[in-house]
Amino acid sequence: MKQNKFILIVMAAVMVTSSCKKDLNQQPTDTFSENNAFITLSDVQLGANEAYARYAAYANDMYVSSLVSDEAKLGADNSGQGALTYRFQYASDNTSGGDVISGWGDYYTVIDQVNRLLPKIPTVTASAEEEPRRNILKGQMLALRAISHFGLLQSYCKNYDPADPRGVPVMLTSNPIAKPSRNTMGEVMAQIEGDLTEAKNLLPAVSAGDFTDTVMNKINIAAYQARIALYKKDYDQAIAYSTEVISSGIKSLVSGSQYASIWTDDTQDEVLFRIRFATSTGIGGMFTTTGGNVYIAPSDKLTGSYSSSDIRATAFIGINPAGNPYVNKFFSSLRGGRVVDLKACRTAEMYLIRAEANARKASPNVVAGTTDLNTLRSNRISGYTDQTFSSAAALIDAVMGERYKELAFEGFRFFDLKRNNMPVSRLSSDASAAWQTLPTGDYHFVLPIPNSELLANPNMVQNDNY
Amino acid sequence: MRKVILTVLVSMVLSLSVFAQKTVVGKVSDANGKPISNASVTVAGTKVGTITAADGSYSINVPANGKVLEFSSLGFETLNFRIGSALTYSPVLVASDSKDMQEVVVTGISKIKKSQYAGAATKIDEKQLKNQPVGSFDQILQGRAPGITALTSSGAPGSGTNIIIRGTGSIQGGSAPLYVVDGIPVEASVFQGFNPNDFASVDVLRDAASTSLYGSRGSAGVIVVTTKKGVAGKMKFGYAAQFGVKSKPDFAFRPMNTSELLESQKQYGTVVAQGDASSPAANDPTIPGFYYSTENPRYPGLTPAEKSEAAHLLDSIKNINTNWADQIFRNANFSNHQITLSGGTGKTRLFSSVGLYNEEGITLRSDMKRITLRNNLDYADNKITFSVNSNLGYTRRSFQQSTTTNSLGNPFLTSAVNVPYAKVYNDDGSYATGTGASFAAANQLDLTKYDENYNNQLKATLGMNGSYKITDNITAALTSGIDFRETQSTNYGSKLPYVRQSSTSITGRAGFQTEGLTRFFRATVRPSVTYRNTFKEKNDVEFSVYSEYIREFSKSLGATGYGTDPKRPNTMAAITQGNSVNQLYAVVSGGKSQNALVSGLATARYTYDGKYTVTGSYRRDGSSKLPIDTRWQGFYSIGGVWDAKKEDFLKDVKLINLLRVKLSYGGSGNADNFPGGDYPYQNSYTSGSYSGLNTIYSNYAGNPEMKWESTYVTNFGVDFEVWNKRIYGDINIYNKITKDLFVQKKLSAAGGFGNDAALNINAGKLGNKGVELSLNIEVLKKKDLNVTVYGNFSYNKNRVLSLAGEQPYEDGTELIKEGMPLGSHYEVKWGGVDAATGMPLYYDLNGNLTTVYSADNRVQEFGTWEAPWKGGFGVNASYKRFDFSMLFSWQRGATKVDNMEYFVENPVGFMSNGYNQSSDLHFWQHPGDVVNTPSPLYGTNFSSKIIHNSSFLRLRDIRVGYSISKSLLSKIKYVSSASFYVQGSNLFMWTKWRGYDPEAGATNINLSEFPNPRTVTAGLDINF
């Protein structure tokens, strides 16, 4: 009797315990897990939104390219912001290299987000009418991955050489504990070009009516292909791709007040790809704080480069009540205050790419190049009369000068100088003697791999001299 | 042969139990004639035994071979009766005068006789716990048990204490011990709902012999609370009342008064302006002491009218001398009332208590009110014991908006840095608010006046323990309980205070109302079976099997609305609904989580002849917080006790009354301090937004190989009583190693979490070793006069033993580095001020002085916040009907960053911006000045200049009491006992620390926190 009771109790205890075991499989309720984050194609769309948001990484390129070149100087209210970067005193640590190493981490967050989505796209559920979106999302994500890899390549590697073993790690799958080695620059480029080609194949044709500048599409991918072809000195391709964009008639050049309204987000003329900042002052406060402190100002060299009839002078450069110049190009918008979108790619660049490629290709076409340059200038300078150039070299000089003026603060100048093996040379009014020049070939043209990366990843190799 | 026959006979007798036996009855009582319940009555050498009922009565069948009846009970000497022909034996048990009075170690899972306990534990008894004027019982522990670091982070009423047992055992996780009340684990750091006057004892368990019983949750030590039980006999009412005053403690820091500050401003300006009338310093009205001074270089250039205006303004400023501390601090009232009911008849006992606690904080808008209701019901008969313990606590606490930050909303900081020449009130009686540094304190007071910030907390802890004696040797038991808390918090931000009216943000101007609700629920079920037997008289064996199931749920909800209507203050009804025009969108947030723990535990003990005891335990825990591969983990412990006094060679040594040697080893995990929440091994995704669009992204990389941090403790201890039991105590030496220590593994950016991302991995190793001593000396032991001096002392050495190849990393003010103790400050070494130039000097890594500050020159030479040396000591005395007690607590060898000093001894950026400074400020002015603050021409950075010794010696507690004599009471009907006392807490402190309180605030850095108050109370306890 007693024994039975005892056995009963023990059995009851064992049963209670074992039935509780299933409670050990708990799943989070407040977050998504690997299994339920992406179930439907709409979920993937939400993931894609994040990938676009993260491409705000390009803002680092804009900031660094301005600071490490001759288009900016330290502003009137600067108390150290960006100063080490401006003085070419950056290294791989967080303190001195904070500005220049940010892009490394940020671009890989875009790539990782894409890599988390790509395997889901074919398997998630979708309604019949959503079905075509599979290819569209895949194409958009591949394109974002490509241009992010390109961002890394441009900053953290030397000038393009397919055989250079110090490219950047190509990431095609998401792996938080990855310790990748650097791929050769050729391998990275092959992946970039492959992704862009595949993306274009997957995406539908666009017309002016259904073009959207906030997502990747056939046209803006062609624009990036043109930019990348120019970077790898494949001029024929650069001409072909830029022609593809220009000939599409989508986002043609504008002039006058229409041009100025691009920079206040009043219109999206000329804008081929844009990252939206609907409420954030991340771009509007980048050079000048929201409180109006001018940390980074346009250089005297840049200010002096515009003629009085050039509409860009006032569109890009403002003078604040204290009489100090500030970067007006990314300063305010009609949507309110300092909320400004990130314009990552514009039609004007296509004209400049085609002009430069025509001048640089094996058998230069100076006439074609000159036409493009004149077309752009006539949209920017009131009363402009077409010019002619006696040689390809003269045209190249003119195009480089025009890129400096047209694309200022948009993330080009530093990379243009690097690509063309030109020094950074600043005016004495813009910089003290110690940092007026960054000589051609200086190791600072290749930005450092962050220290944290080297500590975390034994397979990583630092760039020279850091 | 005869023996064999006898054995057979005995077996027959036992198995049949029918003949040749007699029934013996009686009553067991103590020297005062009070019945002793639950005393055990056994027939020596047999398995026959019983326990006494609530009235002390027992009845036992004595077999024929039974010769001796053995009576034993906790707290009494064991008494043997030779069984004669009588059938009634009513022994009077004598209270055990052994100083080994903590006979039982309550582990929360089991009760272990101290003589059979192989580990280190300290019991804090009722006497030390009761009538302490604090709202959270953990505040009482400082100085009362060895091996504990107990730092009360805030003097706000009801604040908890950071308790660390035997040194920090985790870097990424926490070090809070596991708290158990009457066998039910309860939420750590939420003790406002418990009334410490209901506590009978608190056991502090420090080593593996007991912490391993808790498996994955025991590694930070276990604090076990046992609440009071009813005392058998007729129902007795008790009433206790306590009243008192809390006030600002003394501290070394004193802000400058007006004349000191104006003089200092003049000196500052003179150095900075360098005689240049156009320099900014000469033209800065935020430093009126220089601006209006005749020594200002611009002064000669002023017109006569301007000169007299300057003199006039300076004079009018000089006439204001506000002591902001007087505005911020107040003398606060304290009261505590309690009614108790205790008694029982037959087999059932009851303890009920109602407590009413009311404490004001020593600054405005800080208080705590509490009602507690406890009901403990106990039942015991020969077979069954059953108890229900329930506690309900309802607490309301009000808070200052901010008391732990470097913000001007923190009254303790604003009172230190606001200039004394600012007025408190306008002529119309409103606060003299405004924009600018000199208005900070008035603005803060203005906010305090209009805003409200408080929470209401309902805490219910219900426990049920039952046991059933299946056979004489086998007992089945069930412990189950619920720990429940609901906290409803309210924060009202009126739109009327000046800082809101002058806010530039839409929501800032509109005022706000925030309501929050958090709920915590944990259920515990623990069935067990225990087998106990004695073989051949000397072999005592006990074996238990337990299983345990714990389920925890938490939930939170919060809502903030904007646009509050001051005509209807402090209600959610008064918010303005948001729309695209007013932009006052309400914000709602919340979440929930849960976890489960399933465990099996086996414990075993073997004692031979009362001399040698071997114990062991093994526990296997399965937790929902771990991935399937590592989900189940086992923890074991082994221990041994040798009662040397029972050996022949010590038996006759009169000097030694007790000598017990103990050794234990075992492991446990740090589950309750686990970093990463309930699902740390899983990758997680969350939702965000991109310019009005929703997004989903990965926000956390789980570690799929995650397991518990496990701590293994080796403990060697000796318990002793010598010299007629007048000197007694224990000493313990331990080595505690944390294995699988979480360290931050840096991740490659290619992993997708950006630069500097890290993952917690189980790779490191951490060591704590030390020695603990507690000692009591009965200096005087006479009829009317008893004096006992006691003390405890601990030393702990903490070291990071291994980071498993990961790089050292910064965490707060420290650098986590192999070979260094945790908490080691990491800072540039201060080299003083160059007497010739007034420039700040720092040491570089080569030990050379440099004027250039560089974070690269940081070193770890400045000690750690966790004091290696600590303890407490005091006196307990009684003379006739008076009693007296005193407790000092201390820590030594700790250092802490004094962030406040950085503000109040820093003319650059602080005095120059119109803030007050410390009266200790002496900055460099002339070549040759030997001072510790550089010339105001040079700024300073954080350096070892502001790292200071935070050792202290505190008069924690002092008390004088008087009990009214029985003879006097007998004249007053109904009153059975009455006593009065006067008590002081935190009356004095000796420390080199110059801030408010070396204990308060973050453990590593002083952020101008709420200091622990000085308290004086008086009270009475009456029993009817």
Side-chain angles (χ1 to χ4, degrees):
Chain A
M1 178 58 194
K2 283 172 178 175
Q3 299 287 356
N4 288 348
K5 260 188 190 166
F6 171 60
I7 289 165
L8 266 174
I9 288 173
V10 171
M11 277 178 63
V14 169
M15 275 169 62
V16 167
T17 310
S18 54
S19 70
C20 296
K21 271 193 185 177
K22 67 175 192 302
D23 287 342
L24 295 180
N25 291 313
Q26 293 296 333
Q27 294 301 321
T29 49
D30 291 4
T31 55
F32 307 106
S33 72
E34 203 68 67
N35 301 325
N36 71 1
F38 303 106
I39 305 258
T40 66
L41 200 61
S42 310
D43 296 336
V44 174
Q45 179 62 58
L46 300 184
N49 293 345
E50 177 69 21
Y52 282 110
R54 290 182 176 186
Y55 191 73
Y58 185 71
N60 292 315
D61 287 356
M62 292 163 56
Y63 190 65
V64 169
S65 173
S66 301
L67 278 175
V68 197
S69 71
D70 50 1
E71 65 189 21
K73 64 174 180 180
L74 298 186
D77 307 313
N78 189 291
S79 54
Q81 295 78 11
L84 294 175
T85 309
Y86 176 72
R87 294 168 189 159
F88 319 119
Q89 287 167 344
Y90 47 84
S92 59
D93 60 289
N94 285 329
T95 312
S96 71
D99 299 327
V100 296
I101 63 177
S102 298
W104 178 264
D106 291 354
Y107 275 128
Y108 276 113
T109 66
V110 189
I111 294 169
D112 185 70
Q113 181 72 5
V114 170
N115 288 338
R116 284 170 189 269
L117 297 175
L118 285 175
K120 304 285 183 188
I121 291 174
T123 57
V124 292
T125 59
S127 66
E129 67 228 57
E130 278 178 341
E131 204 54 49
R133 299 277 308 154
R134 274 194 216 277
N135 281 348
I136 293 174
L137 283 171
K138 187 179 178 189
Q140 291 182 1
M141 292 303 101
L142 286 170
L144 274 184
R145 184 168 77 183
I147 64 176
S148 297
H149 275 123
F150 174 66
L152 291 162
L153 203 61
Q154 204 179 212
S155 288
Y156 300 100
C157 305
K158 292 180 181 169
N159 279 338
Y160 187 65
D161 170 5
D164 187 337
R166 279 183 282 176
V168 294
V170 170
M171 293 301 291
L172 301 178
T173 53
S174 173
N175 176 9
I177 55 168
K179 292 175 183 171
S181 310
R182 299 178 76 153
N183 289 85
T184 65
M185 289 184 82
E187 285 165 348
V188 184
M189 184 53 78
Q191 186 63 45
I192 291 169
E193 291 178 332
D195 279 350
L196 290 175
T197 306
E198 189 183 352
K200 252 172 140 179
N201 290 337
L202 290 164
L203 289 166
V206 278
S207 62
D210 56 14
F211 181 87
T212 310
D213 65 349
T214 52
V215 294
M216 298 305 295
N217 53 48
K218 265 198 154 87
I219 294 301
N220 57 26
I221 290 174
Y224 275 99
Q225 284 176 314
R227 187 186 288 181
I228 290 163
L230 185 72
Y231 165 81
K232 63 181 281 210
K233 301 184 164 59
D234 186 342
Y235 301 116
D236 291 329
Q237 289 277 35
I239 292 164
Y241 289 128
S242 53
T243 303
E244 191 178 333
V245 179
I246 294 165
S247 310
S248 74
I250 294 169
K251 301 280 182 177
S252 47
L253 295 177
V254 296
S255 60
S257 61
Q258 242 183 309
Y259 182 72
S261 64
I262 295 172
W263 307 106
T264 53
D265 294 342
D266 198 15
T267 70
Q268 276 77 48
D269 290 331
E270 292 196 15
V271 182
L272 292 166
F273 186 49
R274 174 168 60 106
I275 299 299
R276 305 195 308 161
F277 280 70
T279 53
S280 156
T281 55
I283 302 297
M286 187 157 67
F287 299 108
T288 310
T289 67
T290 51
N293 290 325
V294 180
Y295 285 171
I296 313 298
S299 66
D300 294 350
K301 183 174 178 182
L302 181 73
T303 309
S305 71
Y306 299 109
S307 69
S308 57
S309 52
D310 197 321
I311 59 170
R312 292 173 295 201
T314 50
F316 295 177
I317 298 160
I319 304 290
N320 72 9
N324 299 312
Y326 63 88
V327 179
N328 196 30
K329 196 173 194 177
F330 297 102
F331 185 78
S332 63
S333 80
L334 293 183
R335 275 173 297 136
R338 307 290 296 284
V339 174
V340 181
D341 285 345
L342 164 55
K343 276 71 77 173
C345 186
R346 291 191 299 118
T347 311
E349 184 197 354
M350 296 301 112
Y351 283 86
L352 291 163
I353 288 172
R354 193 163 69 178
E356 184 179 344
N358 270 314
R360 286 189 193 272
K361 67 176 183 175
S363 47
N365 185 344
V366 178
V367 174
T370 304
T371 306
D372 281 336
L373 185 61
N374 283 332
T375 306
L376 180 68
R377 283 180 172 177
S378 61
N379 277 285
R380 300 291 182 260
I381 301 164
S382 50
Y384 178 74
T385 49
D386 285 355
Q387 293 196 359
T388 53
F389 296 94
S390 55
S391 66
L395 178 59
I396 289 169
D397 282 351
V399 172
M400 294 312 295
E402 205 59 36
R403 283 180 70 94
Y404 178 57
K405 289 195 264 189
E406 175 67 28
L407 303 175
F409 309 109
E410 289 185 71
F412 291 93
R413 180 61 175 170
F414 171 64
F415 301 108
D416 281 348
L417 295 173
K418 175 179 176 178
R419 177 165 64 87
N420 291 303
N421 290 316
M422 289 161 72
V424 175
S425 53
R426 295 168 174 158
L427 298 183
S428 57
S429 64
D430 288 331
S432 331
W435 36 84
Q436 266 170 29
T437 313
L438 184 66
T440 303
D442 189 282
Y443 72 91
H444 286 99
F445 275 105
V446 183
L447 303 182
I449 307 291
N451 238 344
S452 57
E453 179 70 32
L454 295 158
L455 291 175
N457 180 1
N459 299 317
M460 183 53 54
V461 182
Q462 182 57 285
N463 291 324
D464 290 337
N465 299 315
Y466 285 108
Chain B
M1 190 61 204
R2 226 186 108 181
K3 218 174 176 179
V4 173
I5 293 168
L6 188 65
T7 310
V8 171
L9 268 174
V10 168
S11 323
M12 284 173 66
V13 167
L14 285 177
S15 54
L16 300 171
S17 302
V18 274
F19 55 87
Q21 68 172 32
K22 54 186 175 182
T23 301
V24 169
V25 295
K27 260 190 176 185
V28 182
S29 57
D30 68 10
N32 298 327
K34 257 173 72 182
I36 301 172
S37 61
N38 281 320
S40 87
V41 184
T42 54
V43 181
T46 74
K47 295 176 181 175
V48 178
T50 185
I51 60 166
T52 58
D55 62 352
S57 66
Y58 71 94
S59 166
I60 190 167
N61 292 324
V62 179
N65 65 325
K67 291 196 175 86
V68 173
L69 270 183
E70 194 177 287
F71 298 90
S72 60
S73 183
L74 288 181
F76 296 93
E77 299 275 14
T78 299
L79 188 70
N80 290 334
F81 264 96
R82 180 154 288 278
I83 302 170
S85 52
L87 293 178
T88 304
Y89 295 89
S90 293
V92 173
L93 298 189
V94 182
S96 162
D97 73 338
S98 168
K99 298 310 167 299
D100 195 24
M101 57 190 171
Q102 305 151 9
E103 291 95 345
V104 165
V105 176
V106 184
T107 67
I109 286 180
S110 56
K111 289 181 180 155
I112 304 174
K113 276 190 191 168
K114 188 140 193 212
S115 61
Q116 296 170 346
Y117 179 68
T122 302
K123 190 185 289 293
I124 298 169
D125 61 20
E126 181 187 339
K127 227 176 159 180
Q128 300 179 68
L129 294 165
K130 85 173 177 189
N131 295 332
Q132 293 290 338
V134 292
S136 180
F137 92 92
D138 47 346
Q139 283 201 28
I140 301 170
L141 303 182
Q142 187 185 80
R144 295 186 196 272
I148 297 186
T149 296
L151 298 171
T152 301
S153 56
S154 167
S159 293
T161 287
N162 294 316
I163 304 255
I164 299 168
I165 297 178
R166 289 186 164 177
T168 306
S170 177
I171 302 170
Q172 301 302 122
S175 288
L178 177 67
Y179 292 87
V180 178
V181 176
D182 292 326
I184 307 300
V186 299
E187 206 183 357
S189 344
V190 188
F191 305 120
Q192 296 86 12
F194 290 109
N195 180 358
N197 284 352
D198 290 340
F199 293 179
S201 65
V202 172
D203 287 72
V204 180
L205 314 178
R206 305 193 296 274
D207 82 304
S210 43
T211 59
S212 288
L213 301 179
Y214 288 95
S216 62
R217 309 167 66 203
S219 78
V222 184
I223 291 181
V224 182
V225 173
T226 306
T227 61
K228 287 179 183 170
K229 301 204 175 301
V231 177
K234 77 173 205 209
M235 283 290 171
K236 280 184 179 169
F237 275 103
Y239 172 67
Q242 190 179 11
F243 299 92
V245 176
K246 301 208 166 204
S247 56
K248 173 175 78 83
D250 290 335
F251 31 75
F253 166 76
R254 179 177 72 79
M256 287 187 183
N257 60 31
T258 297
S259 60
E260 288 167 334
L261 179 60
L262 293 176
E263 178 63 22
S264 196
Q265 286 177 346
K266 190 167 78 186
Q267 292 164 349
Y268 164 86
T270 307
V271 176
V272 176
Q274 294 179 316
D276 178 359
S278 64
S279 68
N283 294 282
D284 187 356
T286 54
I287 45 169
F290 184 57
Y291 186 68
Y292 299 122
S293 162
T294 55
E295 288 169 39
N296 190 317
R298 71 180 193 117
Y299 187 81
L302 297 181
T303 64
E306 285 170 333
K307 282 180 180 171
S308 89
E309 172 74 2
H312 172 69
L313 285 169
L314 198 57
D315 258 2
S316 64
I317 284 173
K318 275 181 181 161
N319 287 329
I320 308 170
N321 189 11
T322 303
N323 183 341
W324 287 102
D326 289 348
Q327 302 298 322
I328 301 295
F329 289 104
R330 66 176 176 187
N331 286 334
N333 295 318
F334 173 86
S335 69
N336 195 8
H337 299 267
Q338 189 177 21
I339 294 170
T340 53
L341 180 64
S342 170
T345 51
K347 294 164 178 171
T348 310
R349 290 177 293 157
L350 174 73
F351 174 83
S352 284
S353 98
V354 180
L356 206 57
Y357 180 94
N358 194 346
E359 179 186 351
E360 287 178 352
I362 55 170
T363 191
L364 305 169
R365 219 178 76 193
S366 72
D367 58 54
M368 166 168 164
K369 293 183 172 71
R370 172 179 70 199
I371 301 172
T372 51
L373 174 61
R374 173 166 286 281
N375 283 296
N376 288 352
L377 185 73
D378 288 88
Y379 171 89
D381 66 19
N382 290 342
K383 290 267 179 212
I384 293 172
T385 68
F386 185 76
S387 69
V388 178
N389 307 300
S390 73
N391 184 63
L392 198 66
Y394 189 78
T395 311
R396 185 187 196 275
R397 296 170 73 202
S398 289
F399 308 96
Q400 272 288 337
Q401 205 67 30
S402 163
T403 56
T404 51
T405 55
N406 283 334
S407 85
L408 292 173
N410 178 349
F412 305 108
L413 182 62
T414 46
S415 67
V417 300
N418 204 90
V419 289
Y421 49 75
K423 286 192 299 179
V424 184
Y425 300 104
N426 294 317
D427 293 341
D428 65 1
S430 60
Y431 284 110
T433 54
T435 300
S438 64
F439 298 99
N443 288 345
Q444 201 282 331
L445 288 165
D446 186 39
L447 271 178
T448 301
K449 175 178 144 192
Y450 286 107
D451 287 5
E452 293 196 58
N453 186 9
Y454 57 87
N455 69 36
N456 290 298
Q457 176 185 297
L458 179 68
K459 171 99 179 165
T461 309
L462 309 170
M464 197 184 79
N465 297 280
S467 74
Y468 177 72
K469 207 167 179 181
I470 297 166
T471 72
D472 287 342
N473 304 114
I474 299 172
T475 305
L478 178 72
T479 296
S480 60
I482 286 168
D483 184 29
F484 173 85
R485 171 179 60 86
E486 195 162 81
T487 306
Q488 186 261 315
S489 58
T490 297
N491 191 358
Y492 167 62
S494 169
K495 72 204 301 185
L496 297 178
Y498 175 80
V499 292
R500 297 251 161 66
Q501 292 185 3
S502 60
S503 168
T504 54
S505 94
I506 296 168
T507 50
R509 270 196 305 279
F512 65 88
Q513 179 83 30
T514 299
E515 297 286 340
L517 191 68
T518 57
R519 182 188 288 167
F520 174 88
F521 174 92
R522 179 158 58 198
T524 303
V525 182
R526 189 193 308 133
S528 65
V529 176
T530 298
Y531 171 83
R532 190 181 166 180
N533 209 343
T534 306
F535 299 99
K536 294 187 179 170
E537 299 181 29
K538 289 181 172 176
N539 300 284
D540 184 16
V541 172
E542 189 174 333
F543 182 75
S544 302
V545 182
Y546 303 77
S547 72
E548 188 172 53
Y549 173 66
I550 298 177
R551 201 83 162 79
E552 192 176 295
F553 299 88
S554 57
K555 195 167 191 173
S556 68
L557 176 67
T560 298
Y562 298 96
T564 54
D565 176 357
K567 285 196 281 186
R568 292 179 290 160
N570 193 17
T571 169
M572 213 56 174
I575 68 157
T576 305
Q577 296 302 327
N579 57 45
S580 58
V581 179
N582 64 25
Q583 292 286 316
L584 299 175
Y585 295 110
V587 178
V588 180
S589 61
K592 61 176 183 173
S593 197
Q594 56 175 305
N595 62 63
L597 184 74
V598 178
S599 314
L601 166 69
T603 64
R605 177 182 58 80
Y606 169 72
T607 302
Y608 177 75
D609 201 17
K611 272 192 230 169
Y612 312 104
T613 297
V614 182
T615 61
S617 71
Y618 179 76
R619 176 166 174 143
R620 200 157 167 79
D621 276 6
S623 167
S624 65
K625 293 185 182 183
L626 289 180
I628 285 171
D629 289 348
T630 58
R631 179 158 291 169
W632 289 89
Q633 283 182 43
F635 300 93
Y636 71 92
S637 75
I638 48 168
V641 186
W642 173 40
D643 198 336
K645 177 61 184 173
K646 290 195 173 155
E647 298 288 351
D648 290 344
F649 63 88
L650 278 180
K651 231 171 203 167
D652 298 323
V653 180
K654 287 229 166 103
L655 180 67
I656 298 172
N657 308 106
L658 174 81
L659 186 65
R660 193 187 294 139
V661 180
K662 307 168 298 183
L663 187 65
S664 72
Y665 175 79
S668 53
N670 199 23
D672 279 17
N673 295 305
F674 202 42
D678 282 335
Y679 315 97
Y681 68 95
Q682 295 198 25
N683 292 337
S684 86
Y685 290 79
T686 190
S687 52
S689 72
Y690 161 51
S691 293
L693 303 171
N694 291 327
T695 72
I696 294 179
Y697 64 96
S698 164
N699 64 333
Y700 177 80
N703 172 359
E705 293 165 355
M706 205 160 214
K707 54 188 170 188
W708 304 127
E709 295 180 296
S710 300
T711 296
Y712 293 85
V713 192
T714 311
N715 190 82
F716 174 77
V718 177
D719 298 346
F720 59 88
E721 292 176 4
V722 295
W723 193 43
N724 292 326
K725 304 176 179 177
R726 286 178 68 172
I727 299 177
Y728 53 95
D730 57 34
I731 183 163
N732 283 284
I733 302 168
Y734 62 89
N735 186 16
K736 176 172 121 173
I737 306 280
T738 306
K739 295 176 186 168
D740 298 327
L741 177 76
F742 282 122
V743 298
Q744 284 203 340
K745 178 187 179 59
K746 299 283 179 213
L747 297 179
S748 163
F753 288 93
N755 290 335
D756 290 309
L759 186 70
N760 283 332
I761 59 162
N762 299 92
K765 211 167 159 187
L766 182 67
N768 284 284
K769 50 185 164 187
V771 57
E772 299 158 346
L773 170 71
S774 76
L775 186 67
N776 302 269
I777 304 168
E778 293 182 352
V779 181
L780 288 169
K781 196 180 178 189
K782 295 183 176 162
K783 187 167 173 280
D784 281 340
L785 179 62
N786 286 292
V787 177
T788 302
V789 178
Y790 64 94
N792 64 71
F793 157 94
S794 332
Y795 169 73
N796 183 69
K797 181 179 171 182
N798 176 294
R799 286 287 180 276
V800 176
L801 300 177
S802 164
L803 291 178
E806 297 302 323
Q807 293 294 319
Y809 58 95
E810 285 175 52
D811 186 16
T813 57
E814 65 177 297
L815 179 74
I816 309 229
K817 191 179 170 189
E818 278 177 17
M820 297 301 292
L822 285 180
S824 299
H825 303 290
Y826 182 53
E827 215 39 277
V828 173
K829 189 175 177 184
W830 174 245
V833 175
D834 187 333
T837 62
M839 289 178 87
L841 298 172
Y842 306 96
Y843 284 96
D844 67 14
L845 292 180
N846 301 318
N848 299 321
L849 283 168
T850 166
T851 55
V852 182
Y853 177 87
S854 164
D856 294 341
N857 289 333
R858 286 179 294 175
V859 289
Q860 277 182 297
E861 296 176 1
F862 318 111
T864 161
W865 59 262
E866 193 178 343
W869 311 87
K870 57 203 161 274
F873 59 89
V875 177
N876 286 322
S878 63
Y879 173 69
K880 294 194 171 163
R881 308 208 64 82
F882 287 94
D883 61 85
F884 170 78
S885 68
M886 186 157 77
L887 170 69
F888 290 90
S889 59
W890 59 273
Q891 70 168 22
R892 199 177 156 76
T895 56
K896 194 168 174 173
V897 179
D898 188 356
N899 203 161
M900 199 164 102
E901 181 191 320
Y902 185 76
F903 301 134
V904 297
E905 291 187 30
N906 202 344
V908 183
F910 297 99
M911 184 197 280
S912 65
N913 286 342
Y915 293 106
N916 197 6
Q917 298 281 289
S918 164
S919 54
D920 290 333
L921 173 73
H922 297 291
F923 57 84
W924 186 96
Q925 298 175 53
H926 312 287
D929 284 358
V930 178
V931 288
N932 204 28
T933 301
S935 158
L937 291 171
Y938 309 101
T940 50
N941 289 79
F942 256 44
S943 72
S944 68
K945 178 177 187 286
I946 57 167
I947 299 176
H948 297 297
N949 192 331
S950 59
S951 304
F952 63 82
L953 169 65
R954 206 182 255 272
L955 176 52
R956 185 86 196 169
D957 196 39
I958 184 164
R959 183 191 134 103
V960 181
Y962 179 76
S963 319
I964 296 170
S965 71
K966 281 238 156 68
S967 57
L968 189 63
L969 285 173
S970 62
K971 292 172 188 163
I972 314 165
K973 248 184 170 179
Y974 307 122
V975 177
S976 64
S977 73
S979 58
F980 304 88
Y981 61 88
V982 181
Q983 187 186 39
S985 301
N986 289 339
L987 291 190
F988 299 104
M989 178 160 61
W990 294 266
T991 181
K992 286 179 180 166
W993 184 253
R994 290 189 297 163
Y996 290 131
D997 188 336
E999 258 186 76
T1003 49
N1004 60 326
I1005 187 166
N1006 158 34
L1007 303 170
S1008 317
E1009 290 89 356
F1010 205 136
N1012 286 299
R1014 168 184 287 175
T1015 309
V1016 177
T1017 61
L1020 82 159
D1021 291 340
I1022 303 176
N1023 285 303
F1024 298 93

